[in-house]
Amino acid sequence: MSFLTLSHIKKAFGPVQVVHDFNMSIEKGEFVSFLGPSGCGKTTILRMIAGFETPSDGSIVINGKDQTSLKPNQRNIGMVFQAYALFPNMNVFDNVAFGLKVAGKPKAEIKARVEEMLKLIHLEHLADRYPYQMSGGQQQRVALARALAPAPQVLLLDEPLSALDAKIRVSLREEIRQIQRQLGITTVFVTHDQEEALSISDRIVVMNAGKADQIGTPSEIYSKPTTRFVANFVGTLNVVEAQVREPASGVVSIADHVLVLPKPIDGKKAGDKVSLAFRPEAASMVTASSAITLKGTVLSSHFLGSVVRTKVNAQGNIIAFDAFNDPNVPPPISGQSVAIHLNPEGLMLLGE
Ligand SMILES: Nc1ncnc2c1ncn2[C@@H]1O[C@H](COP(=O)(O)OP(=O)(O)OP(=O)(O)O)[C@@H](O)[C@H]1O
Ligand SMILES: [Mg+2]
């Protein structure tokens, strides 16, 4: 049963419609990421869940109770923001204790709970420090402990890692996920970093201009994107032009290869062009029996450590693919003529 339900949420600021009919059901204990470009409405939806903004239309229900007209302090929701939002004049202990003090909890209970939270984020030894005496990663862990201390029913994280450097981002996102699992707390995490969303989420909502383009598991979003926007936004995408032969039975051709797509091609007739997309891992320079072979010229080859990424121009289609770095095999050279083999199972028909 759904724990957090957003139904037909709309939000306008003056004449500008920022969120259009947003719908989503989140299960108890689920970790859901909102992924989308800047300005698509991620923070606005989070702020509506928290009660800092009121939807122009629609409802927000948590655990069977309508929250839409409740004030933020009546919702029992924890929130961590992108910028370090700790109280600068309070030490770590007092920051984490803040929500519990406001709720009027007894002193002994507050102390025990704060100690438990500091243990959870492995900062028991820094209880007396002030925010200016800590690294960004430590401050965000304290912000997380502060949000979790009152045992909120939902945790909202708005790009909590974006101000941190790459290594800390990765370790802290894993720590957040591990704590979230341990507590079983229903969590909405906002990011515009696709790798972050793919690596830690149960489900991802890919947002585009105020609406959810696709909601699915990381693997569904990556491997079965349902719109061109999602396909382009998540992961590297190659596109080749194909010619429709028999639209009703999904038959198309790429160069001289005829293949049957799993679905009929709606709205097209024989001779029309369609775009087929595929991920880098569906292409390689190694022959496979079922593969579609395209001839091309190497445009560039970049050494990325464990893999080499090569870009090839195959009759006007630019194809990027990766090969594991083999020190005994020199990387392809620009201008070299090569054959690229595509795995037909990796081809996706792109809609509009
Ligand atoms: N209080 C406000 N008044 C007017 N417009 C607003 C307000 N808050 C947000 N907006 C507008 O709503 C749109 C969505 O903003 P929002 O902050 O939700 O985007 P976002 O997806 O979180 O982007 P980012 O990734 O940059 O944080 C933007 O065009 C923004 O300018
Ligand atoms: Mg935002």
Side-chain angles (χ1 to χ4, degrees):
M1 207 191 86
S2 168
F3 185 71
L4 165 60
T5 312
L6 306 175
S7 307
H8 303 291
I9 297 288
K10 293 182 189 147
K11 181 68 184 172
F13 291 110
V16 186
Q17 192 77 31
V18 171
V19 176
H20 306 263
D21 200 28
F22 187 89
N23 293 285
M24 165 118 223
S25 292
I26 300 178
E27 303 295 315
K28 187 159 177 48
E30 212 180 358
F31 190 109
V32 172
S33 293
F34 287 1
L35 174 67
S38 186
C40 71
K42 305 180 295 295
T43 296
T44 303
I45 294 181
L46 226 57
R47 287 173 57 81
M48 288 192 281
I49 300 172
F52 300 126
E53 299 285 357
T54 311
S56 317
D57 204 353
S59 70
I60 297 167
V61 174
I62 301 177
N63 202 12
K65 190 170 174 213
D66 195 316
Q67 313 274 315
T68 323
S69 54
L70 296 183
K71 294 192 170 63
N73 60 3
Q74 296 170 318
R75 297 191 187 198
N76 191 18
I77 284 175
M79 190 152 176
V80 177
F81 303 90
Q82 169 176 357
Y84 315 132
L86 296 177
F87 304 115
N89 55 335
M90 289 184 199
N91 67 15
V92 167
F93 185 99
D94 290 335
N95 262 285
V96 177
F98 183 78
L100 302 166
K101 280 187 185 158
V102 170
K105 300 282 180 206
K107 237 180 169 171
E109 189 184 322
I110 293 177
K111 185 166 182 293
R113 181 68 178 166
V114 172
E115 281 167 3
E116 187 189 347
M117 289 296 110
L118 293 182
K119 212 164 162 195
L120 193 67
I121 56 160
H122 307 293
L123 289 182
E124 310 92 300
H125 56 295
L126 297 187
D128 298 329
R129 290 262 185 103
Y130 283 83
Y132 75 92
Q133 297 169 314
M134 289 188 298
S135 71
Q138 288 167 337
Q139 288 184 51
Q140 282 305 65
R141 278 149 77 193
V142 175
L144 179 66
R146 185 180 62 178
L148 291 171
Q153 47 179 352
V154 172
L155 177 64
L156 304 175
L157 305 166
D158 192 358
E159 309 217 27
L161 307 172
S162 58
L164 306 173
D165 76 41
K167 270 228 163 106
I168 303 285
R169 283 180 79 122
V170 173
S171 69
L172 193 50
R173 82 182 182 209
E174 282 163 11
E175 192 174 336
I176 288 176
R177 179 57 158 144
Q178 188 254 321
I179 289 172
Q180 183 272 337
R181 278 210 176 99
Q182 193 178 330
L183 301 178
I185 185 167
T186 311
T187 300
V188 182
F189 177 88
V190 164
T191 180
H192 54 251
D193 182 328
Q194 42 151 319
E195 189 204 298
E196 208 162 88
L198 289 171
S199 69
I200 59 171
S201 316
D202 289 319
R203 282 191 301 157
I204 297 173
V205 182
V206 184
M207 289 190 55
N208 178 16
K211 55 183 182 33
D213 247 33
Q214 187 173 355
I215 300 176
T217 62
S219 141
E220 283 164 356
I221 295 285
Y222 183 81
S223 306
K224 297 191 176 78
T226 52
T227 70
R228 193 179 273 257
F229 175 83
V230 174
N232 263 312
F233 192 74
V234 182
T236 300
L237 195 76
N238 294 304
V239 180
V240 290
E241 294 297 332
Q243 201 165 35
V244 178
R245 294 207 166 183
E246 296 166 26
S249 42
V251 180
V252 300
S253 60
I254 302 175
D256 296 332
H257 300 270
V258 175
L259 71 146
V260 184
L261 300 174
K263 282 197 294 195
I265 303 164
D266 297 331
K268 298 280 179 190
K269 56 184 190 312
D272 282 353
K273 295 244 187 300
V274 285
S275 299
L276 293 180
F278 58 94
R279 300 296 184 193
E281 54 270 30
S284 98
M285 282 171 42
V286 180
T287 327
S289 57
S290 66
I292 296 165
T293 304
L294 302 176
K295 293 201 161 32
T297 312
V298 174
L299 287 175
S300 63
S301 172
H302 294 283
F303 179 65
L304 302 174
S306 62
V307 297
V308 176
R309 169 153 292 196
T310 302
K311 281 191 182 159
V312 167
N313 181 348
Q315 290 132 36
N317 297 304
I318 310 298
I319 298 173
F321 60 95
D322 301 326
F324 280 116
N325 173 35
D326 179 346
N328 300 314
V329 179
I333 306 161
S334 301
Q336 190 181 335
S337 294
V338 290
I340 305 297
H341 309 288
L342 307 186
N343 174 2
E345 286 173 13
L347 294 172
M348 313 175 261
L349 181 65
L350 278 189
E352 296 315 314

